[in-house]
Amino acid sequence: MNFNLNQELQLLLQAALLQGEAAINSWQKWRTLVNIDDVDQDSYRLLPLLYRNLSAHNVTDSYIGRLKGIYRRTWVENQVWFQQIRSILGSFQEADIKIMLLKDPALNLHYYQDYGLRYINHLDFLINSKDVLNAIKLLQELSWTPKEKIPNPTVPFSHYIGFENESKQYLSLRWHLFADGFNENAETEFWQRAILTQVNDFPVYLLSATDLLFYTCVFGGLTNLISPISRLTDAAIIIQSYPSEIDQDRLLTLAEKYRFILQLKSRIIKLQEILNLPLSSSILPELKKLSISKFEDHEYQVITSQKNTSLNRLKMRYFQYSRIVNTDNFNLFNFFSYLQYIWGLENLWQVPIQAIIRGINR
């Protein structure tokens, strides 16, 4: 698996995260290759980190003023997001709903530890499945509108619902991280290892450093649209912030359990190539020892195939289904039930007809 990061992105990542001469040299090389007024979105989101690192190294440059402006803008915009988070936490606390921050807000709060360093794109919360319907009602009272039909949290394949408010901010409410057969206790180990912290005196949980590193590296699978550079940056920040808290054995166990060996390995390798992060020297050899399952290998072959055939698209749906129920045992009835759910069909018999229609339309 290859991220194909171009030279500019690699230099920017090094300039933003390395120390000493390595950071300054990378900055100087990047500076000659890129016009800061014309960077792509992936690069733009690294500029606040770049500003902090250059300032820490006392770098003087005509770009510093613009980088500081981008940092300040990010800080202000993230304050707006945290106003929303505080109102939700307050409402959920009154209802005795335990909540865990995921992804953007969690990284911003505990790992970047500076509201100006990482742009929050949307909110992501994890709650217990027993609290789902109550949480949805509370969010609606706070003017968050469901983007799809309100799910029954006990129905197979139901694991999250998206919301949007009047400001077009987006929120994902989840009750499963990786589904794991939708056992209501599937997330117990993540809750038990979670960090308990506060946002304005409101208690909130965060994934442990090891669990968040794994989740950051593999969330969404191979088809996820989040840019590789954003994933790598977040993973690097987690490792740099709490290197002694990264549990190598647990990383390997999670990769094997959830069949994300290829994905975790590729990201760890890339991080070591670019940044030489403070990870255990044995983690890569141990990762390489893990056997890639036939499922994971076949999934990779289909995803990276250039053939956008109806069969390959149906296979992709099967891989999604298989990951959700966390099994290699194929069950046609259950797979059809999954397609019925995601396609919003009233009856199971409509599934093969819909599959044919979708194949023809493509």
Side-chain angles (χ1 to χ4, degrees):
M1 191 185 303
N2 194 342
F3 290 128
N4 295 320
L5 294 184
N6 61 35
Q7 182 186 14
E8 289 86 351
L9 282 174
Q10 292 195 43
L11 286 171
L12 179 55
L13 191 61
Q14 291 168 335
L17 292 174
L18 292 180
Q19 298 299 309
E21 288 298 317
I24 295 173
N25 290 339
S26 295
W27 154 249
Q28 291 172 342
K29 291 177 184 176
W30 183 81
R31 177 77 162 77
T32 64
L33 296 173
V34 176
N35 180 352
I36 197 172
D37 296 319
D38 192 34
V39 297
D40 57 38
Q41 187 178 42
D42 291 341
S43 299
Y44 183 85
R45 291 187 176 184
L46 282 181
L47 296 185
L49 269 176
L50 176 64
Y51 166 70
R52 182 186 68 171
N53 208 29
L54 294 181
S55 297
H57 286 84
N58 298 314
V59 172
T60 57
D61 190 283
S62 60
Y63 276 177
I64 295 297
R66 272 175 282 184
L67 292 173
K68 185 175 183 179
I70 294 168
Y71 164 83
R72 285 180 171 175
R73 178 179 177 179
T74 303
W75 187 91
V76 170
E77 291 178 351
N78 285 346
Q79 289 293 331
V80 176
W81 279 111
F82 271 93
Q83 287 177 6
Q84 293 287 352
I85 292 172
R86 286 189 284 270
S87 67
I88 293 169
L89 291 179
S91 178
F92 280 29
Q93 184 182 41
E94 287 184 8
D96 196 28
I97 296 176
K98 188 166 66 171
I99 187 169
M100 183 185 292
L101 292 182
L102 299 173
K103 295 192 289 186
D104 295 9
L107 287 158
N108 200 295
L109 176 68
H110 190 70
Y111 294 91
Y112 284 78
Q113 298 183 352
D114 183 326
Y115 288 170
L117 293 180
R118 189 193 188 282
Y119 177 75
I120 296 177
N121 188 48
H122 72 274
L123 302 182
D124 219 308
F125 298 143
L126 177 73
I127 60 173
N128 289 309
S129 57
K130 66 180 178 62
D131 296 320
V132 171
L133 296 181
N134 193 15
I136 290 173
K137 180 181 177 182
L138 293 175
L139 287 172
Q140 288 176 305
E141 291 174 356
L142 293 171
S143 300
W144 289 91
T145 303
K147 295 292 289 179
E148 52 265 327
K149 181 180 177 181
I150 293 177
N152 181 341
T154 64
V155 170
F157 320 125
S158 171
H159 61 291
Y160 87 100
I161 180 172
F163 291 83
E164 194 173 76
N165 63 12
E166 294 178 352
S167 301
K168 300 300 180 183
Q169 294 174 316
Y170 188 80
L171 181 155
S172 292
L173 183 70
R174 303 181 185 278
W175 45 102
H176 288 295
L177 288 174
F178 299 105
D180 200 15
F182 294 110
N183 182 326
E184 65 178 11
N185 299 316
E187 278 67 44
T188 298
E189 62 175 319
F190 293 101
W191 283 105
Q192 289 175 340
R193 295 172 178 271
I195 300 164
L196 178 61
T197 186
Q198 291 185 331
V199 175
N200 280 56
D201 297 326
F202 295 123
V204 64
Y205 289 85
L206 309 171
L207 287 171
S208 70
T210 301
D211 291 351
L212 186 60
L213 176 60
F214 178 73
Y215 194 60
T216 296
C217 287
V218 307
F219 174 77
L222 298 172
T223 59
N224 192 275
L225 298 177
I226 297 175
S227 71
I229 195 68
S230 295
R231 293 288 189 97
L232 290 175
T233 305
D234 290 340
I237 288 292
I238 294 167
I239 295 168
Q240 287 182 334
S241 299
Y242 299 97
S244 63
E245 295 184 20
I246 303 302
D247 184 336
Q248 171 186 305
D249 292 337
R250 178 158 174 79
L251 265 184
L252 298 175
T253 298
L254 289 172
E256 201 163 27
K257 177 179 180 179
Y258 291 105
R259 298 176 295 183
F260 279 123
I261 297 171
L262 268 173
Q263 201 161 336
L264 181 64
K265 183 192 300 184
S266 64
R267 281 175 165 78
I268 296 298
I269 288 173
K270 184 59 69 173
L271 280 170
Q272 293 300 83
E273 284 178 358
I274 299 174
L275 299 173
N276 192 26
L277 291 173
L279 278 171
S280 168
S281 60
S282 64
I283 189 167
L284 280 178
E286 292 300 320
L287 263 174
K288 291 176 181 178
K289 287 181 185 177
L290 294 181
S291 299
I292 307 297
S293 66
K294 290 182 180 179
F295 169 87
E296 198 173 341
D297 183 61
H298 191 194
E299 178 189 41
Y300 176 72
Q301 297 303 324
V302 172
I303 290 173
T304 56
S305 171
Q306 300 298 315
K307 299 177 181 179
N308 186 26
T309 64
S310 298
L311 180 58
N312 273 356
R313 291 195 296 273
L314 194 59
K315 285 180 179 179
M316 279 303 309
R317 286 298 188 189
Y318 168 69
F319 292 134
Q320 291 167 4
Y321 155 79
S322 183
R323 283 200 175 280
I324 285 173
V325 300
N326 198 25
T327 180
D328 286 330
N329 299 320
F330 181 72
N331 183 304
L332 184 62
F333 178 81
N334 287 344
F335 180 47
F336 271 35
S337 297
Y338 169 69
L339 294 177
Q340 178 188 356
Y341 175 80
I342 62 170
W343 288 342
L345 304 177
E346 293 292 328
N347 299 292
L348 196 64
W349 59 262
Q350 294 174 289
V351 170
I353 297 173
Q354 184 64 210
I356 293 171
I357 292 172
R358 288 170 177 262
I360 293 172
N361 288 341
R362 289 293 183 97

